[in-house]
Amino acid sequence: MKAAEIAYKPVGLALGVASGMVAGTAFKQAWRMIGHEDDVPDATDESRTWREVLVSAALQGAIFAVVKTAVDRAGAIGFRRLTGTWPG
């Protein structure tokens, strides 16, 4: 393992936690706009349809993936600017 990878590990972990929180907030906001309600469908909620549950899960996954990738990429670019080395 390269020194840059080791040095970046704590930064990457912190960014991962932050991106998860941002993605969760973004998903809740998106669901309020799409679903016109505050409650996000749960897979075991008997009163929800398959469509609601699956659309909610797909939206949550897509938002999480985009936010995580954007934050990871920005973190790597910032790390390179500070150290001159790409963390990967």
Side-chain angles (χ1 to χ4, degrees):
M1 191 177 263
K2 295 187 271 183
E5 290 178 18
I6 294 170
Y8 185 72
K9 283 288 184 192
V11 174
L13 288 172
L15 289 175
V17 170
S19 69
M21 293 185 333
V22 169
T25 301
F27 169 65
K28 287 178 185 175
Q29 291 293 328
W31 186 256
R32 282 187 191 120
M33 290 181 356
I34 292 169
H36 306 291
E37 58 185 290
D38 289 339
D39 290 338
V40 176
D42 185 36
T44 58
D45 187 348
E46 189 176 23
S47 67
R48 301 297 186 132
T49 65
W50 274 93
R51 183 177 182 182
E52 285 179 302
V53 171
L54 295 179
V55 167
S56 169
L59 179 64
Q60 185 176 27
I63 289 173
F64 180 79
V66 168
V67 170
K68 182 173 181 349
T69 300
V71 170
D72 285 348
R73 184 70 178 194
I77 290 169
F79 186 82
R80 182 180 61 194
R81 286 183 183 154
L82 284 173
T83 66
T85 306
W86 191 259

Coordinates of all heavy atoms in Angstrom, one line a residue:
M1 N 0.8 -1.2 0.0 CA 0.0 0.0 0.0 C 0.9 1.2 0.0 O 1.8 1.3 0.8 CB -0.9 0.0 1.2 CG -2.0 1.0 1.2 SD -3.1 0.9 2.6 CE -4.4 -0.1 1.9
K2 N 0.6 2.2 -0.9 CA 1.4 3.4 -1.0 C 1.1 4.3 0.2 O 0.0 4.3 0.8 CB 1.1 4.1 -2.3 CG 1.5 3.3 -3.5 CD 1.3 4.1 -4.8 CE -0.1 3.9 -5.3 NZ -0.3 4.6 -6.6
A3 N 2.0 5.2 0.4 CA 1.9 6.2 1.5 C 0.7 7.1 1.3 O 0.0 7.4 2.3 CB 3.2 7.0 1.7
A4 N 0.4 7.5 0.1 CA -0.7 8.3 -0.2 C -2.0 7.6 0.1 O -2.9 8.3 0.6 CB -0.7 8.8 -1.7
E5 N -2.1 6.3 -0.2 CA -3.3 5.6 0.1 C -3.5 5.5 1.6 O -4.6 5.7 2.1 CB -3.2 4.2 -0.4 CG -3.3 4.1 -1.9 CD -3.1 2.7 -2.5 OE1 -3.3 1.7 -1.7 OE2 -2.9 2.6 -3.7
I6 N -2.5 5.3 2.4 CA -2.6 5.2 3.8 C -3.0 6.6 4.4 O -3.8 6.7 5.3 CB -1.2 4.7 4.4 CG1 -1.0 3.3 4.0 CG2 -1.2 4.9 6.0 CD1 0.4 2.8 4.3
A7 N -2.3 7.6 3.9 CA -2.7 9.0 4.4 C -4.1 9.4 4.1 O -4.7 10.1 4.8 CB -1.7 10.0 3.8
Y8 N -4.6 8.9 3.0 CA -6.0 9.3 2.5 C -7.1 8.5 3.3 O -8.2 8.9 3.3 CB -6.1 9.1 1.0 CG -7.4 9.6 0.5 CD1 -7.7 10.9 0.4 CD2 -8.4 8.7 0.1 CE1 -8.9 11.4 -0.1 CE2 -9.6 9.1 -0.4 CZ -9.8 10.5 -0.5 OH -11.0 10.9 -1.0
K9 N -6.7 7.3 3.8 CA -7.8 6.5 4.5 C -8.6 7.3 5.5 O -9.9 7.2 5.4 CB -7.1 5.3 5.2 CG -6.7 4.2 4.3 CD -7.9 3.5 3.7 CE -7.4 2.3 2.9 NZ -8.4 1.7 2.1
P10 N -8.1 8.0 6.4 CA -9.0 8.7 7.4 C -9.8 9.8 6.7 O -11.0 10.0 7.0 CB -8.0 9.4 8.4 CG -6.7 8.8 8.1 CD -6.7 8.1 6.8
V11 N -9.3 10.4 5.7 CA -10.0 11.4 4.9 C -11.1 10.7 4.2 O -12.3 11.2 4.2 CB -9.1 12.2 3.9 CG1 -9.9 13.1 3.0 CG2 -8.0 12.9 4.7
G12 N -10.9 9.6 3.5 CA -11.9 8.9 2.8 C -13.0 8.4 3.7 O -14.2 8.4 3.3
L13 N -12.7 7.9 4.9 CA -13.7 7.5 5.8 C -14.6 8.6 6.3 O -15.8 8.5 6.3 CB -13.0 6.8 7.1 CG -12.4 5.5 6.8 CD1 -11.6 5.0 8.0 CD2 -13.5 4.4 6.5
A14 N -14.0 9.8 6.6 CA -14.8 10.9 7.0 C -15.7 11.4 5.9 O -16.8 11.7 6.1 CB -13.8 12.1 7.4
L15 N -15.1 11.4 4.6 CA -15.9 11.8 3.5 C -17.1 10.8 3.2 O -18.2 11.2 2.8 CB -15.1 12.0 2.2 CG -14.1 13.1 2.2 CD1 -13.2 13.1 1.0 CD2 -14.9 14.5 2.3
G16 N -16.8 9.5 3.5 CA -17.9 8.5 3.3 C -19.0 8.7 4.3 O -20.2 8.6 3.9
V17 N -18.7 9.1 5.5 CA -19.8 9.3 6.5 C -20.5 10.6 6.1 O -21.8 10.6 6.1 CB -19.2 9.5 7.9 CG1 -20.2 10.0 8.9 CG2 -18.6 8.2 8.4
A18 N -19.8 11.6 5.7 CA -20.5 12.9 5.3 C -21.3 12.7 4.1 O -22.5 13.2 4.0 CB -19.4 13.9 5.0
S19 N -20.8 11.9 3.1 CA -21.6 11.7 1.9 C -22.9 10.9 2.2 O -23.9 11.1 1.6 CB -20.8 11.0 0.8 OG -20.5 9.7 1.1
G20 N -22.8 9.9 3.1 CA -24.0 9.2 3.5 C -25.1 10.1 4.1 O -26.3 9.9 3.8
M21 N -24.7 11.0 4.9 CA -25.6 11.9 5.6 C -26.2 12.9 4.5 O -27.4 13.1 4.5 CB -24.9 12.7 6.7 CG -24.5 11.8 7.9 SD -23.9 12.6 9.3 CE -23.1 14.1 8.8
V22 N -25.4 13.4 3.6 CA -25.9 14.2 2.6 C -26.9 13.5 1.7 O -27.9 14.0 1.3 CB -24.7 14.8 1.7 CG1 -25.2 15.5 0.5 CG2 -23.9 15.8 2.6
A23 N -26.5 12.3 1.3 CA -27.4 11.5 0.4 C -28.7 11.1 1.1 O -29.7 11.2 0.4 CB -26.7 10.2 0.0
G24 N -28.7 10.9 2.4 CA -29.9 10.6 3.1 C -30.8 11.8 3.1 O -32.1 11.7 2.9
T25 N -30.3 13.0 3.4 CA -31.1 14.2 3.3 C -31.6 14.5 1.9 O -32.8 14.8 1.8 CB -30.2 15.4 3.8 OG1 -29.7 15.1 5.2 CG2 -31.0 16.7 3.8
A26 N -30.8 14.3 0.9 CA -31.2 14.6 -0.4 C -32.3 13.6 -0.8 O -33.3 14.0 -1.5 CB -30.0 14.4 -1.4
F27 N -32.2 12.3 -0.4 CA -33.2 11.4 -0.8 C -34.6 11.7 -0.1 O -35.6 11.7 -0.7 CB -32.8 10.0 -0.3 CG -34.0 9.0 -0.4 CD1 -34.5 8.6 -1.6 CD2 -34.5 8.4 0.8 CE1 -35.6 7.8 -1.7 CE2 -35.5 7.5 0.7 CZ -36.1 7.2 -0.5
K28 N -34.5 12.1 1.2 CA -35.8 12.5 1.8 C -36.4 13.7 1.2 O -37.7 13.7 1.0 CB -35.5 12.8 3.3 CG -35.2 11.5 4.1 CD -34.9 11.8 5.6 CE -34.5 10.5 6.3 NZ -34.1 10.8 7.6
Q29 N -35.6 14.7 0.7 CA -36.2 15.8 0.0 C -36.8 15.4 -1.3 O -37.8 15.9 -1.7 CB -35.1 16.9 -0.2 CG -34.6 17.6 1.1 CD -35.7 18.4 1.7 OE1 -36.5 19.0 1.0 NE2 -35.7 18.5 3.0
A30 N -36.0 14.6 -2.0 CA -36.5 14.1 -3.3 C -37.8 13.3 -3.2 O -38.8 13.5 -4.0 CB -35.5 13.2 -4.0
W31 N -37.9 12.5 -2.1 CA -39.1 11.7 -1.9 C -40.3 12.6 -1.6 O -41.4 12.3 -2.0 CB -38.9 10.6 -0.9 CG -40.1 9.7 -0.8 CD1 -41.1 9.7 0.1 CD2 -40.5 8.8 -1.8 NE1 -42.1 8.8 -0.2 CE2 -41.8 8.2 -1.4 CE3 -40.0 8.3 -3.0 CZ2 -42.4 7.3 -2.1 CZ3 -40.6 7.4 -3.7 CH2 -41.8 6.9 -3.3
R32 N -40.1 13.6 -0.8 CA -41.1 14.6 -0.5 C -41.7 15.2 -1.8 O -42.9 15.4 -1.9 CB -40.7 15.7 0.4 CG -40.5 15.2 1.8 CD -40.2 16.4 2.8 NE -39.8 15.9 4.1 CZ -38.7 16.1 4.7 NH1 -37.8 16.8 4.1 NH2 -38.4 15.6 5.8
M33 N -40.8 15.5 -2.7 CA -41.3 16.1 -4.0 C -42.0 15.1 -4.9 O -43.0 15.4 -5.5 CB -40.1 16.7 -4.7 CG -39.5 17.9 -4.1 SD -38.1 18.8 -4.8 CE -37.7 17.8 -6.2
I34 N -41.4 13.9 -5.0 CA -42.0 12.8 -5.8 C -43.2 12.2 -5.2 O -44.2 12.0 -5.9 CB -40.9 11.8 -6.2 CG1 -39.8 12.4 -7.0 CG2 -41.5 10.6 -6.9 CD1 -38.6 11.6 -7.2
G35 N -43.1 11.8 -4.0 CA -44.2 11.0 -3.3 C -45.2 11.9 -2.7 O -46.2 11.4 -2.2
H36 N -44.9 13.2 -2.6 CA -45.9 14.1 -1.9 C -46.2 13.8 -0.5 O -47.4 13.9 -0.1 CB -47.1 14.3 -2.8 CG -46.9 14.7 -4.2 ND1 -46.3 15.9 -4.5 CD2 -47.0 14.0 -5.3 CE1 -46.2 16.0 -5.8 NE2 -46.6 14.8 -6.4
E37 N -45.3 13.2 0.2 CA -45.4 12.8 1.6 C -44.1 12.8 2.3 O -43.1 12.6 1.6 CB -46.2 11.5 1.7 CG -45.5 10.3 1.0 CD -46.3 9.1 1.1 OE1 -46.4 8.5 2.2 OE2 -46.8 8.7 0.0
D38 N -44.1 12.8 3.6 CA -42.9 12.8 4.4 C -42.3 11.4 4.6 O -41.1 11.2 4.8 CB -43.0 13.5 5.7 CG -43.2 15.0 5.5 OD1 -42.8 15.5 4.5 OD2 -43.7 15.7 6.4
D39 N -43.2 10.4 4.8 CA -42.8 9.1 5.1 C -42.3 8.3 3.9 O -42.9 8.3 2.8 CB -44.0 8.3 5.7 CG -44.4 8.7 7.0 OD1 -43.5 9.4 7.7 OD2 -45.5 8.5 7.4
V40 N -41.1 7.8 4.0 CA -40.5 7.0 2.9 C -41.0 5.6 3.1 O -41.0 5.0 4.2 CB -38.9 7.0 3.1 CG1 -38.3 6.1 2.1 CG2 -38.4 8.5 3.0
P41 N -41.4 5.0 2.0 CA -41.9 3.6 2.0 C -40.9 2.6 2.6 O -39.7 2.7 2.2 CB -42.2 3.2 0.6 CG -42.3 4.5 -0.1 CD -41.4 5.5 0.6
D42 N -41.3 1.8 3.4 CA -40.4 0.7 4.0 C -40.9 -0.6 3.3 O -42.0 -0.8 3.0 CB -40.7 0.6 5.5 CG -39.7 -0.4 6.1 OD1 -38.6 -0.5 5.7 OD2 -40.2 -1.1 7.1
A43 N -39.9 -1.5 3.0 CA -40.2 -2.7 2.3 C -41.2 -3.6 3.0 O -41.9 -4.4 2.4 CB -38.9 -3.5 2.1
T44 N -41.2 -3.5 4.3 CA -42.2 -4.3 5.1 C -43.5 -3.6 5.5 O -44.3 -4.2 6.2 CB -41.5 -4.8 6.4 OG1 -41.1 -3.7 7.1 CG2 -40.3 -5.7 6.0
D45 N -43.7 -2.5 4.9 CA -44.9 -1.7 5.2 C -46.0 -2.3 4.3 O -46.0 -2.2 3.1 CB -44.7 -0.2 4.9 CG -45.9 0.6 5.3 OD1 -47.0 0.0 5.6 OD2 -45.8 1.8 5.3
E46 N -47.0 -3.0 4.9 CA -48.0 -3.7 4.2 C -48.9 -2.8 3.4 O -49.5 -3.2 2.4 CB -48.9 -4.5 5.2 CG -49.8 -5.5 4.6 CD -50.6 -6.3 5.6 OE1 -50.7 -5.9 6.8 OE2 -51.0 -7.4 5.2
S47 N -49.0 -1.5 3.8 CA -49.9 -0.6 3.2 C -49.3 0.0 1.9 O -50.0 0.7 1.2 CB -50.4 0.5 4.1 OG -49.3 1.3 4.5
R48 N -48.1 -0.2 1.7 CA -47.4 0.3 0.5 C -47.4 -0.7 -0.7 O -47.4 -1.9 -0.5 CB -45.9 0.6 0.8 CG -45.7 1.7 1.9 CD -46.3 3.0 1.5 NE -46.0 4.0 2.5 CZ -45.6 5.2 2.2 NH1 -45.4 5.6 1.0 NH2 -45.3 6.0 3.2
T49 N -47.5 -0.2 -1.9 CA -47.5 -1.0 -3.1 C -46.1 -1.4 -3.4 O -45.1 -0.8 -3.0 CB -48.1 -0.3 -4.3 OG1 -47.3 0.8 -4.6 CG2 -49.5 0.2 -3.9
W50 N -46.0 -2.4 -4.3 CA -44.7 -2.8 -4.8 C -44.0 -1.7 -5.5 O -42.8 -1.4 -5.4 CB -44.8 -4.0 -5.8 CG -44.8 -5.4 -5.1 CD1 -45.9 -6.0 -4.7 CD2 -43.7 -6.1 -4.7 NE1 -45.5 -7.2 -4.1 CE2 -44.2 -7.3 -4.1 CE3 -42.3 -6.0 -4.9 CZ2 -43.3 -8.3 -3.7 CZ3 -41.5 -7.0 -4.5 CH2 -42.0 -8.1 -3.9
R51 N -44.8 -1.0 -6.3 CA -44.3 0.1 -7.1 C -43.7 1.2 -6.2 O -42.5 1.7 -6.4 CB -45.4 0.7 -7.9 CG -44.9 1.8 -8.8 CD -45.9 2.4 -9.7 NE -45.4 3.4 -10.6 CZ -46.0 4.1 -11.4 NH1 -47.3 3.8 -11.6 NH2 -45.5 5.0 -12.2
E52 N -44.4 1.6 -5.1 CA -43.9 2.6 -4.2 C -42.5 2.2 -3.6 O -41.6 2.9 -3.5 CB -44.9 2.9 -3.1 CG -46.1 3.7 -3.5 CD -47.0 3.9 -2.3 OE1 -47.4 2.8 -1.7 OE2 -47.2 5.0 -1.9
V53 N -42.5 1.0 -3.1 CA -41.3 0.4 -2.4 C -40.1 0.4 -3.4 O -39.0 0.8 -3.0 CB -41.6 -0.9 -1.8 CG1 -40.4 -1.6 -1.3 CG2 -42.6 -0.8 -0.7
L54 N -40.4 -0.2 -4.6 CA -39.2 -0.3 -5.5 C -38.8 1.0 -6.1 O -37.6 1.2 -6.3 CB -39.6 -1.3 -6.6 CG -39.9 -2.7 -6.2 CD1 -40.3 -3.6 -7.4 CD2 -38.7 -3.3 -5.5
V55 N -39.7 1.9 -6.4 CA -39.3 3.2 -6.9 C -38.5 4.0 -5.8 O -37.4 4.6 -6.1 CB -40.5 4.1 -7.3 CG1 -40.1 5.5 -7.5 CG2 -41.1 3.5 -8.6
S56 N -38.9 3.9 -4.6 CA -38.2 4.5 -3.5 C -36.8 3.9 -3.3 O -35.8 4.7 -3.2 CB -39.0 4.3 -2.2 OG -38.3 4.6 -1.0
A57 N -36.7 2.6 -3.4 CA -35.4 2.0 -3.3 C -34.5 2.4 -4.4 O -33.3 2.6 -4.2 CB -35.5 0.5 -3.2
A58 N -35.0 2.4 -5.6 CA -34.2 2.7 -6.8 C -33.7 4.2 -6.7 O -32.5 4.5 -7.0 CB -35.0 2.5 -8.1
L59 N -34.6 5.1 -6.3 CA -34.2 6.5 -6.1 C -33.2 6.7 -5.1 O -32.2 7.4 -5.2 CB -35.5 7.3 -5.8 CG -35.2 8.8 -5.6 CD1 -34.7 9.4 -6.9 CD2 -36.5 9.5 -5.1
Q60 N -33.4 6.0 -3.9 CA -32.4 6.1 -2.8 C -31.0 5.6 -3.3 O -30.0 6.2 -3.0 CB -32.9 5.3 -1.6 CG -32.0 5.4 -0.4 CD -32.6 4.7 0.8 OE1 -33.3 3.7 0.6 NE2 -32.2 5.2 1.9
G61 N -31.0 4.5 -4.0 CA -29.7 3.9 -4.5 C -29.0 4.8 -5.5 O -27.8 5.0 -5.4
A62 N -29.8 5.4 -6.4 CA -29.2 6.3 -7.4 C -28.7 7.6 -6.7 O -27.5 8.0 -7.0 CB -30.3 6.7 -8.4
I63 N -29.4 8.1 -5.8 CA -28.9 9.4 -5.1 C -27.7 9.0 -4.3 O -26.7 9.8 -4.3 CB -30.1 10.0 -4.2 CG1 -31.1 10.6 -5.1 CG2 -29.5 11.0 -3.3 CD1 -32.4 11.0 -4.4
F64 N -27.7 7.9 -3.6 CA -26.5 7.6 -2.8 C -25.3 7.4 -3.6 O -24.2 7.9 -3.3 CB -26.8 6.3 -2.0 CG -25.6 5.9 -1.1 CD1 -25.4 6.5 0.1 CD2 -24.8 4.9 -1.5 CE1 -24.3 6.2 0.9 CE2 -23.7 4.6 -0.8 CZ -23.4 5.2 0.4
A65 N -25.5 6.7 -4.8 CA -24.3 6.4 -5.6 C -23.7 7.7 -6.2 O -22.5 7.9 -6.3 CB -24.7 5.5 -6.8
V66 N -24.6 8.6 -6.7 CA -24.1 9.9 -7.3 C -23.5 10.7 -6.2 O -22.4 11.3 -6.5 CB -25.3 10.6 -7.9 CG1 -24.9 12.0 -8.3 CG2 -25.8 9.9 -9.2
V67 N -24.1 10.9 -5.1 CA -23.5 11.7 -4.0 C -22.1 11.1 -3.6 O -21.1 11.9 -3.4 CB -24.4 11.9 -2.8 CG1 -23.7 12.6 -1.6 CG2 -25.6 12.7 -3.2
K68 N -22.1 9.8 -3.3 CA -20.9 9.2 -2.8 C -19.7 9.4 -3.9 O -18.6 9.7 -3.5 CB -21.1 7.7 -2.5 CG -19.8 7.0 -2.0 CD -20.1 5.7 -1.6 CE -18.9 4.9 -1.0 NZ -17.6 5.5 -1.2
T69 N -20.1 9.1 -5.1 CA -19.1 9.3 -6.2 C -18.6 10.7 -6.3 O -17.3 10.9 -6.4 CB -19.6 8.8 -7.5 OG1 -20.0 7.4 -7.4 CG2 -18.6 8.9 -8.6
A70 N -19.5 11.7 -6.2 CA -19.1 13.1 -6.3 C -18.2 13.5 -5.2 O -17.2 14.2 -5.3 CB -20.3 14.0 -6.4
V71 N -18.5 13.1 -4.0 CA -17.8 13.4 -2.8 C -16.4 12.7 -2.8 O -15.4 13.3 -2.5 CB -18.5 13.1 -1.5 CG1 -17.7 13.2 -0.3 CG2 -19.7 14.0 -1.4
D72 N -16.4 11.4 -3.2 CA -15.1 10.7 -3.3 C -14.2 11.3 -4.3 O -13.0 11.5 -4.1 CB -15.3 9.2 -3.7 CG -15.9 8.4 -2.5 OD1 -15.9 8.9 -1.4 OD2 -16.3 7.3 -2.8
R73 N -14.7 11.7 -5.5 CA -13.9 12.3 -6.5 C -13.4 13.7 -6.1 O -12.2 14.0 -6.3 CB -14.7 12.4 -7.8 CG -14.0 13.0 -9.0 CD -13.0 12.0 -9.5 NE -12.3 12.5 -10.6 CZ -11.6 11.7 -11.4 NH1 -11.5 10.4 -11.2 NH2 -11.0 12.2 -12.5
A74 N -14.2 14.5 -5.5 CA -13.8 15.8 -5.0 C -12.8 15.7 -3.9 O -11.8 16.4 -3.9 CB -15.0 16.6 -4.5
G75 N -12.9 14.7 -3.0 CA -11.9 14.4 -2.0 C -10.6 14.0 -2.6 O -9.5 14.5 -2.1
A76 N -10.6 13.2 -3.6 CA -9.3 12.8 -4.2 C -8.6 13.9 -4.9 O -7.4 14.1 -4.8 CB -9.6 11.6 -5.2
I77 N -9.4 14.8 -5.6 CA -8.9 16.0 -6.2 C -8.3 16.9 -5.2 O -7.2 17.4 -5.4 CB -9.9 16.6 -7.1 CG1 -10.2 15.8 -8.3 CG2 -9.5 18.0 -7.6 CD1 -11.5 16.2 -9.1
G78 N -9.0 17.1 -4.1 CA -8.5 18.0 -3.0 C -7.2 17.4 -2.4 O -6.3 18.2 -2.1
F79 N -7.2 16.1 -2.2 CA -6.0 15.5 -1.7 C -4.8 15.7 -2.6 O -3.7 16.0 -2.2 CB -6.2 14.0 -1.5 CG -5.1 13.3 -0.8 CD1 -5.0 13.3 0.6 CD2 -4.2 12.6 -1.5 CE1 -4.0 12.7 1.3 CE2 -3.2 11.9 -0.8 CZ -3.1 11.9 0.5
R80 N -5.0 15.5 -3.9 CA -3.9 15.7 -4.9 C -3.5 17.2 -4.9 O -2.3 17.4 -5.0 CB -4.4 15.3 -6.3 CG -3.2 15.5 -7.3 CD -3.6 15.1 -8.7 NE -4.7 16.0 -9.2 CZ -5.4 15.8 -10.2 NH1 -5.2 14.7 -11.0 NH2 -6.4 16.6 -10.6
R81 N -4.4 18.1 -4.8 CA -4.0 19.5 -4.7 C -3.1 19.8 -3.5 O -2.2 20.6 -3.6 CB -5.2 20.4 -4.7 CG -5.9 20.5 -6.1 CD -7.0 21.4 -6.1 NE -7.7 21.4 -7.4 CZ -8.9 21.7 -7.6 NH1 -9.7 22.1 -6.6 NH2 -9.5 21.7 -8.8
L82 N -3.5 19.2 -2.4 CA -2.7 19.4 -1.1 C -1.4 18.7 -1.1 O -0.4 19.3 -0.7 CB -3.5 19.0 0.1 CG -4.7 19.8 0.5 CD1 -5.5 19.2 1.6 CD2 -4.1 21.2 1.0
T83 N -1.3 17.5 -1.7 CA -0.1 16.7 -1.5 C 0.6 16.5 -2.8 O 1.8 16.1 -2.8 CB -0.5 15.3 -1.0 OG1 -1.3 14.6 -2.0 CG2 -1.2 15.4 0.4
G84 N 0.0 16.7 -4.0 CA 0.6 16.5 -5.2 C 0.5 15.0 -5.7 O 1.1 14.6 -6.7
T85 N -0.2 14.2 -4.9 CA -0.3 12.7 -5.2 C -1.7 12.3 -5.2 O -2.5 12.7 -4.3 CB 0.5 11.9 -4.0 OG1 1.8 12.4 -3.9 CG2 0.5 10.5 -4.4
W86 N -2.1 11.5 -6.2 CA -3.4 11.0 -6.3 C -3.5 9.8 -5.3 O -2.7 9.0 -5.2 CB -3.7 10.4 -7.7 CG -5.1 10.1 -7.9 CD1 -5.7 8.9 -7.9 CD2 -6.2 11.0 -8.2 NE1 -7.0 8.9 -8.2 CE2 -7.4 10.3 -8.3 CE3 -6.3 12.4 -8.3 CZ2 -8.6 10.8 -8.6 CZ3 -7.5 13.0 -8.6 CH2 -8.6 12.2 -8.7
P87 N -4.6 9.8 -4.5 CA -4.7 8.8 -3.4 C -5.0 7.4 -3.8 O -4.9 6.5 -3.0 CB -5.9 9.3 -2.6 CG -6.7 10.2 -3.5 CD -5.8 10.7 -4.5
G88 N -5.3 7.1 -5.0 CA -5.7 5.8 -5.5 C -4.6 5.0 -6.0 O -4.0 4.1 -6.1

